[in-house]
Amino acid sequence: MLNLILFGPPGAGKGTQSEKIIAQYKLIHLSTGDLLRSEIQGGTELGLRAKTLMDQGLLVPDEVVIGMIDNKLKEHKECPGFIFDGFPRTVAQAEALDALLESYGESISVMVALVVDDNELLTRLLNRGKTSGRPDDQNEELISKRIHEYNSKTKPVADYYQAQGKYIAINGIGEIETIFEGITEAIEQA
């Protein structure tokens, strides 16, 4: 089974590349945002718990998110693998994900990180804001804060998987197809 973490800061191209990876490898896409919305919409116990917390402006605890991921793993036992998008964001989440996958006799195959310098990210996100209408992509100060948050809080996750020999950095600047070729090479080597 291929279990891939697609990693990178906002604006690195994860959305574009994840679509191509899913099409190529027939992986199930696990986005924590999508999972939360789906569980809430489905009225599940985890979804109701998450909604209560979110309505209070609180973050959903890791164990709730891991529970939602567990539900998806159970639901798709016969799939060729999963692509994790937006998770894990902390070392504690990575450890919890590893433990969950281990309970199924599985593990993360590879973490592919799209590396893009901060100036390029700022340019991309401002351009995306013009076309998407997303307010968080139209404010330069907010974008800089998101990039800083990523660099300071999620980089340790890359270090965690690098220590396991599962981290591969891919240059996220260039032609979409060239970047995708780099990703497929990384996957094939995993």
Side-chain angles (χ1 to χ4, degrees):
M1 186 176 275
L2 173 63
N3 294 307
L4 168 87
I5 297 172
L6 188 58
F7 199 68
K14 294 183 303 293
T16 301
Q17 294 299 334
S18 68
E19 288 177 17
K20 297 178 81 54
I21 294 166
I22 292 163
Q24 173 96 10
Y25 296 97
K26 310 295 183 235
L27 302 178
I28 300 294
H29 185 239
L30 289 180
S31 157
T32 50
D34 292 347
L35 281 176
L36 284 168
R37 284 185 288 279
S38 172
E39 294 275 342
I40 290 168
Q41 214 169 26
T44 68
E45 183 181 333
L46 287 171
L48 295 173
R49 195 166 148 207
K51 183 174 180 350
T52 300
L53 293 166
M54 291 164 69
D55 286 349
Q56 296 171 32
L58 300 172
L59 291 176
V60 178
D62 291 349
E63 65 268 11
V64 173
V65 177
I66 286 290
M68 292 177 181
I69 291 171
D70 189 24
N71 288 345
K72 280 292 179 194
L73 294 175
K74 288 175 187 163
E75 192 179 315
H76 297 284
K77 285 182 180 170
E78 304 303 317
C79 77
F82 296 89
I83 180 169
F84 295 90
D85 179 3
F87 191 88
R89 288 181 190 242
T90 65
V91 172
Q93 290 176 350
E95 291 169 344
L97 179 60
D98 282 357
L100 175 64
L101 289 171
E102 193 175 303
S103 74
Y104 286 95
E106 293 293 333
S107 65
I108 292 298
S109 309
V110 64
M111 170 189 267
V112 175
L114 296 175
V115 180
V116 179
D117 68 70
D118 291 357
N119 289 333
E120 176 67 17
L121 293 171
L122 183 60
T123 301
R124 287 183 184 186
L125 290 169
L126 287 170
N127 286 334
R128 184 169 83 181
K130 290 175 189 171
T131 58
S132 72
R134 284 178 52 171
D136 59 335
D137 286 344
Q138 295 173 12
N139 180 320
E140 193 168 327
E141 190 178 318
L142 193 56
I143 291 169
S144 294
K145 188 175 181 180
R146 285 167 51 207
I147 293 169
H148 174 74
E149 186 84 358
Y150 170 83
N151 288 333
S152 65
K153 293 199 175 161
T154 53
K155 182 162 180 345
V157 178
D159 297 338
Y160 174 82
Y161 284 106
Q162 192 161 22
Q164 294 181 21
K166 296 179 178 181
Y167 172 88
I168 298 177
I170 303 289
N171 182 355
I173 299 175
E175 296 294 319
I176 291 171
E177 281 306 317
T178 305
I179 295 166
F180 183 64
E181 286 170 18
I183 292 171
T184 56
E185 280 179 36
I187 291 170
E188 301 303 324
Q189 292 171 9

